[in-house]
């Protein structure tokens, strides 16, 4: 009698909307399928954004990876807090996901969800699946959020009233100013949803984190020490990163890359504030434009519409421009001058960031410090001017500047008070990173991190992240 061929483990993955969550989920899915021989079904949140459509259409899906598009939901802007929006989107999709799994010919046995999708653990329980969380930020942020339920019980007032940084076990204390705005109001939707998910983290069998052990060595030695986990109720934590999008074989027609081809190595500053979430105020965008010009450095800037949509002068707002048209938000004179001199390029909305950071001409990255952007700058050895806007970006900026020494951070007098960073200060920061010895020192420290990042995911070299993932999959195969 012939023996039955063992079936591949089948993993269902549930990300939340937003490129910063979806991109690492897609990349992890591809890695599980192509490198580790697992079958994956990934539920893609509904989105009409052109960036997502471009990303999906450029994907070369390996056999074994199935994408299921979730239906569009009648959700309006119910709350400006990101955790609320992401969480509700997942909750509203659970019925669809449940029936999709119920009718699967080879039902998944492992479930991997986003940090804002822990409500999907109920689906995992219904089908007796082994549940994991894929945390798309770093281990320090994970530990902080994991500690939140306990800290929430211990403190009485608002976080903003704390006079000392928050003493999170295993990490450097976290300054209250480095937390997102919803931590200032414990009744806010953002805070309540974050707490809700943090309370469910422990239902997972393990947490996969998009980081690598050499990037956060103290954090991982603390996490491996049983004493920390006595204080913070987290399941075992596995560093599996950096998981970033692989550069696509872009056509030589791409305007950003052909523009970069004209410039010498390390001579262009790339400026981007991420894939969504927040952007600068209209006034701040103008100061940034002027500061970049004053610095006399080359730059490539991905411009998104200003946060406040304030019309500061008829000159700056061209009604004819679409929502992502830089002509709509930047002084005409500025755009004309930089084009004339060939020193800068401004693109609207979206650019191929990974390919740009990997281009030899790029020598600095003015970034909002989203965690994917941070990992991408590490993998490509590009030093950072950290300009965090919201979410956990300020904590990431602290890591890059104070812990790793690979970035300088803009100092805005009162980030919450709407203060604006002046053009002279922007000019100074840009020069600091792009010229002179401090920039060289940042770049050389960044290159050391690059080596660690590359070797951690190396299959042949037995990298720590590669091995963590391989060991998990071995368990799933059993
Ligand atoms: N991204 C891109 N082109 C853009 C803007 C963003 O490819 O013009 C990608 C970027 O490379 C990263 C992701 O979108 O992979 C943004 O994630 P991140 O965590 O940095 O920031 P978020 O958008 O979540 O704030």
């Amino acid at each position: 009698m012939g023996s039955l061929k063992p079936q591949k483990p089948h993993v269902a993955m549930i990300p939340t909307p937003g490129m910063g969550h979806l991109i690492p989920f897609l990349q992890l899915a591809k890695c599980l399928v192509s490198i580790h021989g697992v079958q994956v079904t990934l539920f893609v949140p509904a989105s009409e954004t052109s960036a997502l459509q471009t990303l999906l259409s450029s994907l070369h899906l390996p056999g074994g990876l199935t994408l299921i598009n979730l239906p569009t939901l009648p959700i309006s802007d119910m709350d400006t807090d990101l955790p609320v929006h992401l969480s509700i989107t997942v909750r509203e999709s659970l019925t669809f996901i449940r029936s999709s799994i119920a009718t699967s010919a080879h039902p998944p046995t492992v479930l991997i969800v986003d940090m804002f999708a822990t409500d999907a653990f109920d689906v995992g329980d219904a089908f007796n699946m082994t549940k994991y969380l894929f945390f798309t930020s770093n281990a320090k942020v994970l530990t902080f959020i994991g500690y939140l339920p306990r800290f929430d019980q211990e403190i009485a007032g608002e976080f903003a009233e704390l006079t000392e940084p928050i003493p999170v076990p295993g990490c450097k204390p976290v300054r209250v100013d480095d937390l997102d705005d919803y931590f200032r109001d414990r009744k806010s939707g953002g805070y309540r949803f974050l707490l809700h998910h943090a309370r469910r983290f422990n239902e997972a069998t393990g947490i996969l984190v998009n980081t690598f052990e050499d990037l956060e060595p103290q954090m991982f030695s603390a996490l491996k020490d049983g004493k920390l986990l006595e204080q913070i109720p987290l399941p075992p934590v596995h560093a599996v990163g950096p998981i970033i999008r692989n550069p696509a074989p872009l056509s030589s027609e791409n305007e950003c890359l052909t523009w970069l081809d004209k410039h010498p190595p390390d001579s262009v500053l790339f400026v981007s504030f991420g894939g969504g979430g927040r952007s600068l105020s209209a006034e701040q965008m103008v100061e940034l434009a002027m500061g970049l010009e004053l610095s006399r450095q080359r730059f490539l800037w991905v411009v998104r519409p200003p946060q406040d949509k304030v019309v500061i002068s008829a000159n700056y707002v061209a009604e004819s421009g679409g929502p992502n048209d830089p002509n709509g938000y930047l002084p005409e004179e500025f755009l004309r001058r930089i084009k004339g001199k060939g020193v800068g390029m401004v693109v609207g909305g979206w650019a191929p960031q990974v390919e740009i950071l990997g281009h030899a001409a790029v020598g600095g990255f003015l970034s909002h410090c989203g965690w994917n952007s941070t990992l991408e700058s590490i993998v490509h050895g590009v030093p950072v001017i950290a300009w965090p806007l919201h979410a956990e970006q300020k904590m990431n900026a602290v890591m890059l500047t104070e812990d790793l020494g690979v970035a300088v951070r803009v100092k805005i007098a009162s980030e919450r008070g709407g203060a604006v960073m002046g053009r002279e200060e922007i000019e100074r920061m840009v020069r600091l990173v792009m010229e002179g010895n401090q920039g060289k020192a940042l770049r050389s420290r960044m290159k050391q991190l690059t080596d660690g990042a590359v070797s951690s995911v190396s299959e042949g070299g037995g990298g720590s992240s590669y091995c963590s993932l391989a060991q998990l999959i071995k368990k799933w195969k059993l």
Side-chain angles (χ1 to χ4, degrees):
M1 208 169 79
S3 62
L4 281 174
K5 204 171 148 208
Q7 281 192 315
K8 288 177 176 182
H10 182 184
V11 178
M13 296 179 73
I14 306 183
T16 52
M19 299 302 271
H21 294 251
L22 197 52
I23 290 175
F25 261 80
L26 271 167
Q27 206 55 41
L28 174 63
K30 284 173 78 175
C31 169
L32 288 173
V33 172
S34 320
I35 304 178
H36 296 279
V38 170
Q39 181 186 341
V40 174
T41 298
L42 190 140
F43 291 92
V44 182
S47 165
E48 295 305 321
T49 61
S50 59
L52 177 63
Q53 299 312 325
T54 315
L55 175 74
L56 295 177
S57 62
S58 68
L59 273 183
H60 299 287
L61 290 187
L65 171 56
T66 308
L67 302 186
I68 297 185
N69 291 314
L70 293 171
T72 311
L73 299 166
I75 298 178
S76 56
D77 282 347
M78 83 286 278
D79 196 308
T80 49
D81 286 350
L82 203 63
V84 182
H85 196 88
L86 300 181
S87 313
I88 301 281
T89 311
V90 172
R91 273 188 192 171
E92 298 289 316
S93 305
L94 290 182
T95 311
F96 179 92
I97 294 172
R98 203 182 277 262
S99 67
S100 171
I101 291 176
T103 53
S104 166
H106 170 207
T109 50
V110 177
L111 178 70
I112 303 182
V113 308
D114 184 80
M115 62 171 289
F116 294 116
T118 62
D119 292 325
F121 283 159
D122 298 345
V123 177
D125 290 336
F127 294 98
N128 203 17
M129 297 159 90
T130 313
K131 298 166 291 182
Y132 286 85
L133 194 86
F134 177 35
F135 195 77
T136 53
S137 187
N138 55 67
K140 182 173 178 181
V141 174
L142 169 67
T143 308
F144 176 74
I145 297 176
Y147 182 58
L148 204 56
R150 183 163 161 193
F151 192 64
D152 183 76
Q153 284 182 335
E154 284 171 2
I155 68 157
E158 289 292 349
F159 284 56
E161 290 157 14
L162 297 172
T163 49
E164 297 291 323
I166 302 168
V168 185
C171 330
K172 244 172 57 184
V174 177
R175 290 186 295 258
V176 175
D177 276 351
D178 288 326
L179 298 176
D180 201 349
D181 285 354
Y182 43 75
F183 284 96
R184 310 205 151 260
D185 174 8
R186 289 167 73 186
K187 289 186 284 309
S188 68
Y191 182 80
R192 282 187 296 107
F193 269 83
L194 202 61
L195 194 60
H196 162 73
H197 293 297
R199 289 186 175 129
R200 296 199 73 170
F201 281 6
N202 208 25
E203 292 176 38
T205 300
I207 301 185
L208 284 60
V209 190
N210 198 3
T211 187
F212 54 105
E213 293 193 5
D214 285 351
L215 189 66
E216 303 182 80
Q218 282 168 346
M219 215 45 266
F220 276 93
S221 61
L223 281 166
K224 283 175 188 170
D225 174 352
K227 287 196 198 97
L228 175 72
L229 293 182
E230 277 166 20
Q231 299 176 64
I232 304 182
L234 288 176
V237 174
H238 312 275
V240 297
I243 292 177
I244 64 165
R245 187 171 66 73
N246 294 328
L250 287 178
S251 81
S252 54
E253 307 287 292
N254 184 277
E255 52 169 357
C256 298
L257 301 179
T258 38
W259 186 80
L260 288 173
D261 284 343
K262 296 182 198 138
H263 300 297
D266 294 338
S267 69
V268 177
L269 178 75
F270 177 52
V271 182
S272 174
F273 291 88
R278 291 248 175 109
S279 59
L280 302 177
S281 67
E283 191 185 358
Q284 183 64 81
M285 279 174 71
V286 173
E287 283 307 299
L288 175 55
M290 296 306 150
L292 289 171
E293 195 177 7
L294 281 175
S295 77
R296 295 174 179 271
Q297 303 296 316
R298 297 184 183 92
F299 62 89
L300 168 52
W301 181 6
V302 188
V303 174
R304 285 194 293 111
Q307 186 73 18
D308 46 6
K309 300 191 182 71
V310 170
V311 180
I312 39 178
S313 132
N315 231 2
Y316 298 162
V317 180
E319 269 87 47
S320 58
N324 279 326
D325 183 353
N327 291 306
Y329 310 110
L330 293 172
E332 277 171 28
E333 276 298 294
F334 161 79
L335 291 169
R336 199 181 46 73
R337 280 195 306 270
I338 58 154
K339 199 168 174 197
K341 292 187 210 155
V343 289
M345 178 171 183
V346 176
V347 288
W350 191 259
Q353 180 166 307
V354 171
E355 290 77 3
I356 290 170
L357 287 171
H359 196 289
V362 173
F365 183 14
L366 195 164
S367 168
H368 73 315
C369 300
W371 187 244
N372 296 284
S373 296
T374 300
L375 288 177
E376 288 158 7
S377 58
I378 290 173
V379 168
H380 293 290
V382 182
V384 172
I385 300 175
W387 189 322
L389 299 177
H390 78 133
E392 89 297 15
Q393 293 156 12
K394 289 182 200 159
M395 288 176 74
N396 300 342
V398 170
M399 183 194 280
L400 286 173
T401 49
E402 298 172 29
D403 302 348
L404 300 170
V406 293
V408 291
R409 181 170 173 181
V410 299
K411 297 259 177 326
I412 298 182
S414 160
E415 281 159 311
R416 280 184 310 284
V420 169
M421 163 98 142
R423 59 191 71 184
E424 289 79 15
E425 180 61 3
I426 295 169
E427 174 198 358
R428 193 182 69 79
M429 302 296 275
V430 173
R431 283 184 190 273
L432 203 85
V433 169
M434 298 303 289
E435 312 177 322
N437 290 337
Q438 193 167 347
K440 280 198 190 118
L442 294 173
R443 195 161 297 122
S444 97
R445 277 197 294 272
M446 196 50 128
K447 300 269 185 223
Q448 287 167 11
L449 291 184
T450 305
D451 295 341
V454 172
S455 60
S456 66
V457 286
S458 136
E459 180 178 352
S464 56
S465 294
Y466 173 84
C467 292
S468 295
L469 204 51
Q471 274 165 17
L472 281 173
I473 292 158
K474 223 176 183 176
K475 282 194 199 150
W476 301 345
K477 286 185 176 160
L478 290 175

